[in-house]
Amino acid sequence: MTEPSPAPAPAPASSPWYRELSPQDWKAFAAAWLGYAMDGFDFVLITLVLTEIAAEFHLSPVTAATLVSAAFVSRWFGGLAIGAFGDRFGRRPAMVLSITLYAVGAALCGFAWDYWSLFAFRMVIGLGMAGEYTASATYVIESWPERLRNKASGMLLSGYPLGSVLAAKSYAWVVPHSSWRVLFWLGVIPVLLAVYLRKRLPESKDWTEFSARERPVSAAAVLFTGRRAAWNLPIGTVAALSVFLVLRDQAMPVTLLLVAVIAACFIAFAVQFAERLWPVMVALMITVFCAFLYSWPLQSLLPTYLKTDLHYDPDQVSDALLYAGIGYAAGSVLTGFLGDRFGTRRAYVGMLTASLVFVWPVFALGGGHPVALWALLFLLLSTGQGASGVLPKYVSGHYPVRFRAAGLGFSYNVGALGGAAAPVLGARLAEPMGLGTAIAVLGLSLTAVVIALVGLDVPARVQRWADGRYPTPVAEAREAV
């Protein structure tokens, strides 16, 4: 194992922030960023080729949208399992495992022969993506100096939309002259470089210091070994089946019942491995769920909207997604800098509030003004999606080191089920009101909910309220909130 390089000497207060980072810090960041970029490339391909897949497999729009959701079905388990692996064995090996998983899943998608095979391979991508978000975000945040960790979070998240931009340009270059399958095969190539880099990285500073004091414990081992396995394995199976079924075309009473079952299963897991911190974990799940519900209708259905409602050709779709992706990346970086300057919550809420100005104009403009649409997409994505640049820092800051990766992975990826519901919900709302209007309504309403949850500091308030009901507060709760 490579030994961590010596930390650079403390920089004078007037020195630029980047002088506080060693070459090894930048190498670690570059490897994690590249993984995020390839993550974005592989994950959004399905949104670009959804119409082509629907035509080949004879799928309705709602059924085709479930292929976007398929990766989210498995994300909750991937976040927990790979996060727990990272807590037990280190952040670095978890990064290698996660990137390998979604590379394999992407390659398999290119060989899919029908709807169900593609659904299953998308679930493999979901496992890897969940672990990628968990391991890479935790690794970089724990490796950088504490006062720069919002920058680390925002700059890291910029890799995802730039990977999406690369996917959009590849779509314009490849699909008109070849097949949608080729795009998935292309997504494997750059991942090899990321794995090469990650095998030569040091471990994160926080985890190294913690593991020297205590023996790391795996949250997955807590849940799925010994006596607890007897009931947690069935609970996990019920949760997975319920998530799958709720994405199918169910009657409203059945959907509500399944949602209640899913919530009960995940709360049961949170209570067992987060112990006294389970209230903040549940509150963070809800916050992230709402964040995905406002952001993923736009991310997943924008290509379909541009092709079907505005009748854009592949080159025009690619150009629109280029400006949207650059805006997303720029906004992520900006939010990270604002977070270190004004605080994580203020930066997050401020950017989300600014995004409300641009939601309706994007979908009211129509297809006759492409340049104006590109500018509006840049502004909307830079504020709305860019705000998520500090989301890893915001969520991980609520957890102690001993289960930070699993806590971030589980709460974020359970919340990411909002991304599973988003394209299906958007497609269903589009039937009576039109796709553009449906995306705008979800964006405006759910963004307002997230602003309230984060602005009022609801997760930390819930934890403090729960601690007040016990006679002896716990150190972990004080550290987390």
Side-chain angles (χ1 to χ4, degrees):
M1 175 176 167
T2 306
E3 291 296 325
S5 62
S14 59
S15 297
W17 61 270
Y18 50 81
R19 292 190 183 277
E20 298 184 40
L21 302 171
S22 68
Q24 198 70 290
D25 292 331
W26 283 113
K27 182 180 178 183
F29 174 82
W33 187 92
L34 182 59
Y36 259 65
M38 293 306 100
D39 195 358
F41 183 94
D42 286 333
F43 195 77
V44 303
L45 288 181
I46 193 73
T47 70
L48 294 164
V49 297
L50 206 56
T51 52
E52 288 83 0
I53 290 172
E56 181 171 333
F57 294 155
H58 308 292
L59 307 176
S60 70
V62 172
T63 302
T66 62
L67 292 172
V68 180
S69 305
F72 291 93
V73 172
S74 57
R75 280 185 63 159
W76 70 268
F77 181 76
L80 173 63
I82 299 180
F85 182 86
D87 284 333
R88 178 65 182 86
F89 299 104
R91 315 311 193 199
R92 186 184 62 175
M95 291 165 67
V96 176
L97 173 61
S98 63
I99 201 171
T100 304
L101 268 176
Y102 73 72
V104 169
L108 290 173
C109 284
F111 294 102
W113 55 90
D114 60 8
Y115 168 81
W116 288 110
S117 62
L118 186 54
F119 192 98
F121 299 150
R122 288 282 299 161
M123 289 179 66
V124 177
I125 288 180
L127 287 172
M129 186 180 185
E132 172 65 21
Y133 190 99
T134 299
S136 290
T138 306
Y139 177 76
V140 171
I141 288 171
E142 290 185 349
S143 297
W144 280 35
E146 188 169 352
R147 79 177 196 89
L148 301 179
R149 290 182 176 182
N150 279 298
K151 290 185 180 71
S153 179
M155 292 169 63
L156 179 63
L157 264 289
S158 72
Y160 180 89
L162 291 178
S164 303
V165 168
L166 180 60
K169 300 309 292 184
S170 300
Y171 169 79
W173 296 330
V174 172
V175 172
H177 311 290
S178 183
S179 166
W180 59 268
R181 299 175 184 274
V182 176
L183 283 179
F184 288 101
W185 296 330
L186 289 177
V188 177
I189 299 172
V191 169
L192 302 177
L193 177 58
V195 173
Y196 172 82
L197 288 172
R198 290 178 179 197
K199 289 177 69 176
R200 287 155 177 80
L201 294 177
E203 190 49 80
S204 81
K205 178 174 68 69
D206 285 9
W207 188 87
T208 300
E209 293 174 354
F210 172 77
S211 60
R213 300 191 309 266
E214 301 181 36
R215 182 178 183 273
V217 177
S218 165
V222 171
L223 292 174
F224 298 112
T225 59
R227 294 181 178 179
R228 287 184 175 179
W231 62 77
N232 283 333
L233 287 172
I235 288 174
T237 302
V238 169
L241 288 175
S242 299
V243 169
F244 171 76
L245 291 173
V246 84
L247 296 176
R248 310 299 294 172
D249 192 13
Q250 308 290 345
M252 183 56 68
V254 176
T255 298
L256 293 176
L257 176 61
L258 290 171
V259 168
V261 170
I262 294 166
C265 292
F266 291 147
I267 291 172
F269 285 149
V271 169
Q272 291 178 73
F273 88 82
E275 299 174 348
R276 293 284 292 273
L277 290 178
W278 74 264
V280 73
M281 178 171 282
V282 172
L284 287 169
M285 290 178 194
I286 295 170
T287 302
V288 176
F289 183 86
C290 294
F292 269 82
L293 274 183
Y294 89 71
S295 64
W296 261 88
L298 178 63
Q299 290 191 57
S300 60
L301 297 175
L302 179 60
T304 300
Y305 169 74
L306 295 173
K307 287 188 282 187
T308 59
D309 287 35
L310 303 189
H311 308 291
Y312 278 13
D313 60 38
D315 284 334
Q316 291 175 308
V317 172
S318 176
D319 287 340
L321 296 182
L322 171 65
Y323 287 97
I326 292 174
Y328 187 166
S332 295
V333 175
L334 174 61
T335 307
F337 277 75
L338 292 174
D340 283 337
R341 176 66 178 84
F342 300 105
T344 306
R345 290 195 302 114
R346 288 180 181 176
Y348 195 11
V349 169
M351 292 290 276
L352 286 181
T353 302
S355 75
L356 296 175
V357 176
F358 306 110
V359 176
W360 200 259
V362 164
F363 297 99
L365 189 61
H369 309 279
V371 176
L373 180 61
W374 296 339
L376 286 170
L377 283 172
F378 178 91
L379 293 169
L380 175 58
L381 273 290
S382 65
T383 51
Q385 314 292 350
S388 64
V390 295
L391 193 54
K393 170 65 167 59
Y394 174 73
V395 175
S396 65
H398 290 79
Y399 298 120
V401 175
R402 64 185 175 87
F403 67 85
R404 180 174 291 157
L408 170 62
F410 188 62
S411 54
Y412 180 86
N413 288 293
V414 168
L417 289 171
V424 178
L425 181 58
R428 288 180 177 173
L429 288 178
E431 294 173 358
M433 66 177 62
L435 185 55
T437 303
I439 297 173
V441 167
L442 288 172
L444 286 168
S445 58
L446 274 301
T447 299
V449 172
V450 176
I451 288 171
L453 289 170
V454 177
L456 296 175
D457 204 14
V458 170
R461 288 175 182 268
V462 167
Q463 185 62 50
R464 287 194 293 268
W465 174 83
D467 288 342
R469 296 179 63 85
Y470 295 90
T472 305
V474 292
E476 287 90 343
R478 289 197 300 272
E479 175 187 351
V481 300

